[in-house]
Amino acid sequence: MSDQKKYALVTGGSRGIGRAICLQLAKDTDYSILINYHTNEDAANETLKSVNNLGGSGEIIKFDVANFSDVKQQLDHWSDAHENTIIEVLINNAGITKDGLFLWMQPNDWNSVIQTNLNSFYNVTNHLLKDMLLNKYGRIINMVSVSGLKGSAGQTNYAASKGAIIAATKSLAQEIAKKNVTVNAVAPGFIKTDMTTDLDEKELKKLIPINRFGFPEEVAQLVSFLASKKSSYITGEIININGGIYS
């Protein structure tokens, strides 16, 4: 078993927090980084190049986390082509927002957010879990949000998807802890990424005790710790990283 090549899969790994996580894992661990993307192949290759520049190794994999059969097909195809490998770390990071007041929310604005943010957790985790359990080791880290904990006007769909992942994290952690597979969630507040570029940082930072937005690298360092052996007695936890906004 010990000569297996070990991978960490980061969904939505091509940009933003996902990219920062790929780079941090390349710096801190011996894992090969499996960078999932859905549409932006250039960005995924850019992330891979950065991983290689750091002395890490990895590859890109295309699938739509919201589509069960696509996830199954691509991951099966990948493992058939990679004998004697195991995906030991899974970071469920891919997510979208379609913000708007609930009163005016169209079915697609609700459904696409639930599909991509919540159903993806089932699609990817369920597929990889059996191998982790057989191997008696694994790290599952779910990226959630301060919105899923305290709610956020205009984000009822997003908050619902993240709140559900928080509950799922706690339940799954209890099911599989005996097998040395941990499940934790990381809940960022306002982080400087493409997702927050339209926000009024000057106004919003007044709400944040640390008085600034966070950086993707700061989130990535926490994820890297949770992905390591150092975090072996932490499971079922939701760790806030938000500059004190929700304390």
Side-chain angles (χ1 to χ4, degrees):
M1 281 300 232
S2 59
D3 56 356
Q4 280 183 316
K5 190 168 184 192
K6 294 173 177 177
Y7 280 81
L9 169 61
V10 182
T11 69
S14 64
R15 293 180 310 158
I17 289 173
R19 172 178 285 184
I21 290 168
C22 291
L23 302 189
Q24 197 65 45
L25 291 175
K27 279 183 205 166
D28 294 347
T29 73
D30 297 330
Y31 290 114
S32 255
I33 315 299
L34 193 52
I35 303 157
N36 157 257
Y37 71 100
H38 180 207
T39 49
N40 196 336
E41 188 172 349
D42 289 345
N45 277 315
E46 195 63 38
T47 303
L48 178 58
K49 201 170 137 193
S50 302
V51 163
N52 291 331
N53 289 344
L54 289 165
S57 68
E59 52 205 83
I60 65 174
I61 183 169
K62 178 180 180 172
F63 58 79
D64 175 5
V65 292
N67 180 325
F68 178 79
S69 57
D70 190 32
V71 170
K72 181 171 168 32
Q73 199 176 353
Q74 296 309 321
L75 285 173
D76 281 345
H77 178 71
W78 184 85
S79 52
D80 289 346
H82 294 73
E83 278 183 40
N84 207 24
T85 58
I86 179 143
I87 295 173
E88 211 168 71
V89 172
L90 166 61
I91 289 117
N92 286 306
N93 167 74
I96 59 167
T97 54
K98 285 196 189 292
D99 294 353
L101 293 177
F102 186 73
L103 180 63
W104 313 116
M105 195 172 280
Q106 297 303 303
N108 185 50
D109 294 343
W110 176 269
N111 292 330
S112 60
V113 168
I114 296 294
Q115 287 282 359
T116 304
N117 298 2
L118 173 58
N119 296 351
S120 61
F121 163 77
Y122 171 79
N123 295 342
V124 184
T125 311
N126 183 266
H127 190 81
L128 297 176
L129 188 59
K130 191 197 244 174
D131 282 347
M132 290 184 186
L133 296 176
L134 286 170
N135 204 37
K136 295 196 175 53
Y137 184 83
R139 295 282 183 266
I140 298 164
I141 298 150
N142 300 318
M143 301 307 296
V144 293
S145 167
V146 65
S147 300
L149 287 155
K150 79 168 197 61
S152 180
Q155 287 200 316
T156 302
N157 51 357
Y158 185 72
S161 70
K162 296 300 189 179
I165 297 278
I166 288 167
T169 297
K170 293 174 178 179
S171 299
L172 182 59
Q174 293 176 35
E175 289 182 21
I176 61 181
K178 281 191 182 72
K179 295 286 192 188
N180 209 17
V181 182
T182 64
V183 192
N184 291 291
V186 169
F190 293 108
I191 308 294
K192 277 183 182 287
T193 63
D194 294 351
M195 231 183 215
T196 57
T197 40
D198 296 339
L199 300 177
D200 184 351
E201 188 174 343
K202 198 161 163 269
E203 272 308 300
L204 286 167
K205 73 178 192 181
K206 294 175 186 165
L207 306 171
I208 306 169
I210 288 184
N211 197 38
R212 64 172 175 84
F213 278 19
F215 295 103
E217 295 72 23
E218 293 174 302
V219 180
Q221 281 161 355
L222 170 58
V223 172
S224 177
F225 167 72
L226 290 172
S228 76
K229 295 206 162 51
K230 294 173 187 168
S231 66
S232 51
Y233 202 55
I234 301 171
T235 197
E237 279 303 317
I238 317 304
I239 302 176
N240 290 298
I241 176 161
N242 59 30
I245 198 170
Y246 184 53
S247 52

